[in-house]
Amino acid sequence: DVPTASALGVGALALFAVLFTGGVDWLIGRWLKLGLSAREYLRLAFIANGMANTLNLSGAMGASVRLMGLSSHKVPLSRAAALIGMQALSLMSGLSLLVIVTLATSSLPMSSGTPQHWIAAIVLTLSALYLPLYFVLTTRRALMRWLPADVGVPPLQLKIQLTLISFVDWVLAAATLYACIYLSGEHVKPGLLLGAFAGAGVLGLVSQVPGGLGVFDGLILLALT
């Protein structure tokens, strides 16, 4: 019953969301001076993220594809590992910012005062703490020894840019979900959907299984019913 144009529009939005994440790889690669073009970063990230979303394997799929792709471009292993590590850290920073927005706008999809509400609030509060820790701990060279010595620790401007790109990426994913639900004939408040999506995203990263179907991903639907 979904019009073809609407279905194609949602598909295009989903493809753009996956492609947009490549901006993180491009910024990190430019900082590491890997010598690849923006097109090469975006193409590699698109394939890696697309496969990671369908064949997650606890996060190993995206890292493996990136490593193989960078190796084919003669990128040294140490620098390829540095890009993969920074990409993983940035993924969590954007989600943490999304959680902070959820808490600031009181968008928890649970009735206030219930045990579920407090549990969700505790989980999201702990997740929100990741962002300040990310900015502080990444300034410690002792903790970032896996980065090449010649680049030092990531500068503040780079971390801000990576966090913002990751945040928009999560919002685009949530927008895709919202569009699918809307086209199905159900009308959900965007704020509550964003809160449910943020919580499920956090738990989905904690519990990942092959196939990309995190055990807790279903909390999105449970929270909306």
Side-chain angles (χ1 to χ4, degrees):
D1 296 331
V2 177
T4 301
S6 299
L8 290 175
V10 173
L13 176 60
L15 289 173
F16 176 73
V18 177
L19 180 63
F20 185 84
T21 315
V24 169
D25 295 68
W26 172 66
L27 285 174
I28 298 173
R30 188 178 62 173
W31 171 61
L32 293 172
K33 300 177 181 177
L34 301 187
L36 277 65
S37 66
R39 179 180 180 181
E40 290 170 330
Y41 286 117
L42 293 175
R43 181 172 59 181
L44 175 58
F46 183 83
I47 297 173
N49 294 330
M51 295 187 67
N53 287 337
T54 52
L55 300 170
N56 203 301
L57 299 179
S58 298
M61 179 59 67
S64 299
V65 173
R66 280 182 171 84
L67 184 59
M68 290 188 293
L70 293 172
S71 298
S72 69
H73 288 289
K74 310 301 181 183
V75 174
L77 179 61
S78 61
R79 274 177 149 68
L83 184 145
I84 293 170
M86 284 298 300
Q87 190 271 341
L89 292 176
S90 302
L91 175 70
M92 283 296 299
S93 68
L95 180 58
S96 182
L97 179 56
L98 179 62
V99 169
I100 292 174
V101 172
T102 296
L103 293 175
T105 56
S106 301
S107 297
L108 291 179
M110 304 279 184
S111 299
S112 180
T114 62
Q116 295 91 337
H117 180 275
W118 290 113
I119 292 174
I122 291 172
V123 171
L124 293 179
T125 300
L126 292 175
S127 303
L129 294 176
Y130 176 86
L131 186 60
L133 287 174
Y134 165 75
F135 276 91
V136 173
L137 296 181
T138 50
T139 62
R140 306 291 191 268
R141 182 61 193 177
L143 298 176
M144 306 296 288
R145 287 179 296 179
W146 45 274
L147 290 174
D150 60 309
V151 299
V153 295
L156 177 61
Q157 181 180 2
L158 175 64
K159 289 185 288 188
I160 292 176
Q161 292 172 336
L162 293 176
T163 299
L164 291 177
I165 290 179
S166 178
F167 172 75
V168 174
D169 173 53
W170 284 101
V171 172
L172 287 173
T176 302
L177 175 62
Y178 178 82
C180 290
I181 295 176
Y182 185 86
L183 289 177
S184 73
E186 299 295 331
H187 302 289
V188 181
K189 292 182 178 180
L192 293 181
L193 174 66
L194 196 62
F197 183 81
V202 171
L203 295 177
L205 288 179
V206 174
S207 178
Q208 297 181 355
V209 297
L213 300 175
V215 174
F216 297 105
D217 288 0
L219 286 180
I220 295 177
L221 298 180
L222 290 177
L224 296 175
T225 56

